[in-house]
Each structure stands twice: as structure tokens, then as C-alpha cells.
Amino acid sequence: MSEKPSITEINQLLCQPGTPFEIIEREIRGINTKTWKNAPPSLRAVVEMTKAHGSNDYIVYGDERLTYAEHYKKVAALSQVLINEFGVKKGDRVALAMRNFPEWPVVFWSVVSIGAIIVPLNAWWTGEELQYGLTDSGASVLFADQERIERLSPYLEQLALKQTVLIRASNQATIPNSVTPWEALPWKRDDNSSIPDIAIEADDSATLFYTSGTTGKPKGALGTHHNICANLLSSAFVRARADVRNGRTPQKASAATGFLLSVPFFHATGCHAMLCGNTLAGNKIVLMDKWNPHKAIQLIEQEKLSTFGGVPAMVWQVLESPEFPNHDLSSVTNIGYGGAPAAPELVKRISELFPQVQPSNGYGLTETSALTTSNSAEDYQAKPDSAGAPAPVCELKIVNQQGESLPIGEIGELCIKGPQVVAGYWNKPDASAETFRQGWLHTGDLARMDSEGFVYICDRAKDMLIRGGENVYCVEVEDALYSHPDIMDAAVIGLPHRVLGEEVGAMVQIKPNASVNENILKDHVASKLAAFKVPIRIDFSDEPLPRNANGKILKNVVKEQMLGKE
């Protein structure tokens, strides 16, 4: 073996028969697929494994601490309420719309452990957007916090919900009669209670995460138990591979390992990678009321946390905070991020300020249950503009518009096959057929691969930008702009931002003699969409926006024009 083993050599070494990372091939939805032999059989099995962590801290939120043992009791009690009181059956959808409170994991694990499908809704959504998610998913039960209940209040009567549970009520006077407070649920305080024994197969549906679509309406990505469980092993594998590749002995996480959760649970990254991954490992997860880099620094020092990250914007904010030099952050051993473009200089900055840390980034989608590729340690320093290499159960190919595989180094659409690829889109057969073909997920992202299998994301073929880790599909914002009576034409593009990666920008052509201005248009969009989708800047044009011969707006020209005005 060479001095620095190749990715292929390490894959072969670590995946031999009889090892924890042994690979098998089995049929998933009619397609022979590589997968991990030793992946947990279901998410129910994962939560049962947490009994071994007992009195160790699981969730920390302000002054509140929930141990693994206490959490399991709550999950067991709520799972019985779901079945016996709410009549939830296997395959039923249960929605969850709230910020990162300690109750979020309790609801999540309770729902998936009885074979029902959890529907985490984006807590940033407007009431209309939340109503769409509830209606589209056909959810029969909703767990929500006060703010989400208030947003939904105009729609609650028309929704076909059997039960609505309010978590952490802050104003009892505004609670509708149809809503049940969390504290009023018929909890059973039995220390020996267990989760009802519901048979769950690996390929049973478990999660329904909404991802924005180019039609302007979000699509529900239907994930299975095996999707997430396989990715738990893939995450462990890429960490072990990075250690072996760089001459280190793979380290097991200790029970004292602490993780600062800085992204929402309602995204695949926050749920699959961070919640599920840390739960399986027995790590402590520290929650924040909302993201604040100064508070993050204080929590890292106070809780002696080993890991933080999220999207690149959050890491930048910690590193550049004036509070940074005033605190002891020596407990940090890992900084990981993804979900948005990262400037190559970020890894250099991390290495300067945290010489003991092995930074990492990665690439994944809701449709791949989070992780697809990972780049860490010396590989990341050598190739800071790469999203990394996949786990060996994940197959990648770059194709042209005809679907033909392209040679190494050429740019085309990235396609992904593996046990982490979701079953399809909920109740959208046409969109599923277009995106999922013979086991391959066609991502719509333009990429290239080098000779070692490292992926470089070049552009997004889908008309989308990513603002601080949040997907913003341009057509959705354009539709909101077009709905204003003074707008004739509109184009939405991503404006580069050092910390957030991209900001939402727009150029519009207004009707003659119109009196609309930028603030009016921003307010108009804000009335229809979540705040992160509202353009930070709107330029006006008296002329038609540039288009090609087919009538499609030339967004590269629009972007050049907007950047040229800065």
C-alpha cells in the first residue's frame, strides 16, 4: 500500500467481510443496491439502543437537561398516547411544526418508533405555507409551538386534523378550544413503560421532509427507515476513512462528546445527520433558542463542547466574533458544515484559529437523506473547493443532457444511487419519475469528478440559490413578484455573500407610470413567503429583461448587470 492510501484502497480495507462496514447488495424498490450489512434495522432500533446511555445528558436547552433515560420514558409514554388516544396507525402522517425545543426529538422518535410517518414542517414558513404542507401530507395529527399555532389559526378549522397539540404555550388566552396543550396529554408515568411493539421493516416509510420545487410548490421527499439508518453508518465510515487516510487511529466518540446544534431539526441535515447521528452515538446535544454566534461561543466554553458547525455562515460568524478571543474553546475537536457554498479560505481560517481541529464539509440533499459526500482533514486542506468523496455504498456518475456518462473532469449533471436515496416524492408521480430513474437520483446539480472520485459542485441546473443553508427556488419568489399588479417581468438570482453564501436578489420591469418602489415590493413578497426568501435587493429596469431566442431570461446577464451596479 502506498504511503498515503487511496480512497479505493481504504474502502477495500475497511469494508472487508466480517468488519463493521461490510457491504452487501440487496433489492431496494426493485433495484439491486449496495448497502451496509450492519446498519440498524429501523429508527425504532436506534431509539432502543439509547437505553445504554442511561443517565448521560441527551438534550440541553438553557437550564433544562434531559438524560437519555428520561427521554426514553417520554418517547414510550407519547408513543402510547399516539396509538391509544389519537388512533395513529402505521403509515399515518404526524406533522411537527416548531423551533428546536427539547420536545422536538421526543415527538420525532415517538412517531417513527410506531411505524407512523413524521412530517417536519419548516418553522420559517408562513401560515399559508404551513397549511399547504399539512394538506398535502394528509397529516392527521399536528404538534406545534405557540408561534406556529398563531400562524395557522386562520386555517385550523378547515384542516382535517384529528388532534392538534400545542407545545410550550406562551399565551393561554390565544389557544383555540380545538388545541390540546402538551401538558394536558394523558401521560403515563410508568418507569417501566416501553414503546408499543409495532413491526417495522427497513424499507417502510418514516419521514416526509418538504423541499422546494421549481414549480414553486414544495415537494415531500418520502424517506424510509433504511435511508436514515444507512446514512448513520455512512457518516461513521467517512470519519474512519479520513483517519486511516491520514495515518490516525480511528477514534470512537465518548459519552462526554458534546454537539452544538445550530441548524433547525426540520431540515434533513439537522434531523438525519445531527439528531439521529448524535443520538446513536450517545452524544450530548445542546440547543439554542435561536442562532447567535456570541451565545454559541459561551455555550461551547460552558458545556465543553467538542463539535459545532452548521452552514458555513455560522462558522464564519463564530470565527469573526469579537467574543472569540475572550473564551476557552480548546474543547473543540471537530468543525463540520455543509448545505451551502463555502469559500475555500474558510478552511484556512479554521486551521489558524483551531490548530487541533480537523474541519470538514460535505454535500447532500433532502433526497439523499443528508450525507452524500464528505471532505475532511488533510484532504479538505488540499482540495478546499471540493465537496469530497462518497461512502462506498454510494455510486455517483456525471451525465450529459442525453443521460450518457461523461469522462473524468467533464461537467454535467450529478446523479446519485445508493441506500440513502429516498423513495420518491409524496403524491407526485410525474416529479418522481423525472427525478428518480432506475434507482438513480438526478440531482439537477452540475458537477465534475476528479480521478480520485472527489466531487466539485459547479452550478445548479435547477433554478435555485442557497441562502445560509436555506433553499430558495427562484420561480417561487418570481411568482410572488409577478402577483403584484405593477410588475411586468421579474428575474431572481443569487447575489454572492461572504458569510451567507448567497443572498436573494431580483430585477424587475415595471409597468409604465407605475409608482411601486423597492420597499413596497419587499413587503409584498414578505406577505406571501417566508422572510429568508424576500429579496435583499431589487433593481428596476425600464426595458425588457434580457432573454434568449427561446424566450428564457438570461440570468447570467441579469446577474452581471446587478453586480456591475455595486
Side-chain angles (χ1 to χ4, degrees):
M1 191 175 288
S2 61
E3 182 177 345
K4 183 166 186 172
S6 69
I7 294 292
T8 300
E9 289 172 328
I10 301 172
N11 288 350
Q12 293 172 346
L13 174 68
L14 293 179
C15 300
Q16 297 178 71
T19 64
F21 297 117
E22 180 178 351
I23 293 175
I24 60 173
E25 190 169 288
R26 73 173 183 88
E27 189 175 290
I28 299 177
R29 294 183 292 279
I31 303 292
N32 285 336
T33 307
K34 293 179 182 178
T35 191
W36 302 111
K37 180 180 180 179
N38 298 311
S42 69
L43 292 171
R44 160 73 179 269
V46 173
V47 79
E48 292 290 351
M49 293 176 191
T50 65
K51 292 179 180 179
H53 306 313
S55 60
N56 293 340
D57 282 340
Y58 177 38
I59 301 292
V60 176
Y61 178 70
D63 295 331
E64 302 176 41
R65 289 181 182 270
L66 189 68
T67 68
Y68 275 89
E70 291 165 343
H71 171 262
Y72 184 86
K73 290 177 186 177
K74 288 180 179 291
V75 170
L78 183 58
S79 63
Q80 294 183 35
V81 170
L82 288 169
I83 292 175
N84 300 326
E85 305 296 333
F86 293 174
V88 174
K89 302 182 296 298
K90 185 176 180 179
D92 286 351
R93 277 78 62 208
V94 176
L96 179 54
M98 57 187 285
R99 68 193 313 163
N100 285 3
F101 286 132
E103 291 85 353
W104 205 105
V106 174
V107 176
F108 173 84
W109 291 112
S110 300
V111 171
V112 298
S113 292
I114 62 170
I117 301 172
I118 190 74
V119 186
L121 298 176
N122 191 322
W124 289 17
W125 277 356
T126 64
E128 184 177 354
E129 290 169 312
L130 291 168
Q131 184 255 1
Y132 167 80
L134 290 167
T135 302
D136 183 73
S137 66
S140 59
V141 177
L142 167 66
F143 290 85
D145 59 13
Q146 179 91 38
E147 188 173 353
R148 263 41 66 177
I149 289 292
E150 290 175 354
R151 292 183 196 174
L152 276 166
S153 58
Y155 308 97
L156 283 176
E157 288 188 8
Q158 57 188 274
L159 288 169
L161 293 168
K162 296 179 181 178
Q163 295 285 343
T164 302
V165 179
L166 171 59
I167 295 173
R168 300 201 175 227
S170 57
N171 186 350
Q172 296 285 345
T174 64
I175 301 175
N177 293 331
S178 60
V179 174
T180 302
W182 174 263
E183 294 76 14
L185 294 178
W187 297 98
K188 291 186 178 180
R189 306 297 182 183
D190 182 1
D191 287 348
N192 297 315
S193 62
S194 59
I195 301 169
D197 188 13
I198 306 295
I200 299 174
E201 299 296 328
D203 293 330
D204 284 344
S205 300
T207 61
L208 191 57
F209 278 82
Y210 277 86
T211 180
S212 296
T214 54
T215 60
K217 288 290 186 182
K219 301 188 295 291
L222 186 61
T224 68
H225 286 262
H226 190 63
N227 285 154
I228 304 173
C229 291
N231 248 0
L232 292 176
L233 223 59
S234 292
S235 297
F237 175 86
V238 295
R239 290 193 296 270
R241 183 174 65 190
D243 286 335
V244 173
R245 183 158 161 87
N246 295 290
R248 294 183 294 271
T249 302
Q251 300 294 315
K252 289 186 177 180
S254 69
T257 299
F259 186 94
L260 180 65
L261 185 69
S262 53
V263 297
F265 280 135
F266 57 72
H267 280 321
T269 299
C271 181
H272 300 349
M274 299 183 182
L275 174 62
C276 295
N278 283 289
T279 301
L280 180 63
N283 297 337
K284 174 174 66 176
I285 304 174
V286 177
L287 309 181
M288 303 180 68
D289 186 53
K290 64 178 181 179
W291 171 250
N292 181 298
H294 305 324
K295 181 63 175 177
I297 290 170
Q298 293 170 0
L299 285 171
I300 292 169
E301 179 181 49
Q302 176 184 320
E303 297 288 338
K304 294 180 170 55
L305 302 181
S306 61
T307 305
F308 79 95
V311 295
M314 294 172 173
V315 179
W316 273 119
Q317 290 167 3
V318 167
L319 300 185
E320 297 183 352
S321 168
E323 288 294 311
F324 183 88
N326 302 327
H327 294 268
D328 178 10
L329 306 185
S330 60
S331 62
V332 175
T333 57
N334 294 283
I335 299 175
Y337 46 89
E345 61 263 29
L346 179 55
V347 67
K348 297 177 184 177
R349 186 77 171 137
I350 292 172
S351 299
E352 292 171 0
L353 297 175
F354 289 95
Q356 78 278 18
V357 165
Q358 301 296 333
S360 64
N361 78 344
Y363 166 84
L365 305 162
T366 304
E367 290 89 343
T368 62
S369 315
L371 179 72
T372 293
T373 65
S374 178
N375 195 7
S376 62
E378 285 87 343
D379 282 331
Y380 187 20
Q381 294 173 358
K383 303 180 180 185
D385 53 344
S386 172
V393 294
C394 178
E395 300 176 57
L396 304 180
K397 64 180 180 180
I398 306 294
V399 303
N400 59 19
Q401 291 184 342
Q402 290 72 44
E404 302 163 337
S405 293
L406 294 172
I408 293 296
E410 291 198 20
I411 296 174
E413 183 181 15
L414 175 64
C415 297
I416 302 167
K417 179 185 178 186
Q420 80 279 26
V421 175
V422 301
Y425 294 126
W426 178 259
N427 285 340
K428 289 182 171 53
D430 291 343
S432 294
E434 179 183 353
T435 303
F436 304 92
R437 309 176 206 168
Q438 289 80 50
W440 288 92
L441 165 68
H442 288 248
T443 67
D445 288 342
L446 299 179
R448 63 179 175 87
M449 283 195 292
D450 66 19
S451 58
E452 290 188 290
F454 281 72
V455 175
Y456 299 76
I457 305 299
C458 304
D459 203 348
R460 289 179 291 276
K462 295 177 181 177
D463 201 4
M464 180 189 79
L465 61 95
I466 303 178
R467 180 195 178 276
E470 292 288 340
N471 289 358
V472 179
Y473 278 80
C474 298
V475 67
E476 187 179 27
V477 185
E478 288 163 356
D479 285 346
L481 288 167
Y482 277 125
S483 68
H484 191 281
D486 289 339
I487 297 301
M488 291 181 61
D489 209 357
V492 172
I493 54 99
L495 296 173
H497 189 279
R498 181 170 177 266
V499 175
L500 296 173
E502 294 173 299
E503 284 272 30
V504 183
M507 182 176 286
V508 297
Q509 180 189 8
I510 59 175
K511 294 179 180 177
N513 303 317
S515 59
V516 67
N517 59 36
E518 185 176 20
N519 288 334
I520 291 174
L521 280 181
K522 288 180 179 179
D523 290 342
H524 178 74
V525 175
S527 70
K528 296 181 173 296
L529 301 175
F532 68 92
K533 301 175 185 177
V534 177
I536 192 70
R537 171 183 160 195
I538 302 176
D539 285 3
F540 291 78
S541 173
D542 296 325
E543 302 293 329
L545 301 186
R547 295 178 182 269
N548 64 15
N550 295 323
K552 183 177 180 181
I553 292 179
L554 298 171
K555 293 202 171 181
N556 59 327
V557 177
V558 171
K559 190 168 187 175
E560 289 173 4
Q561 291 176 351
M562 292 190 70
L563 294 178
K565 294 179 181 178
E566 292 183 342

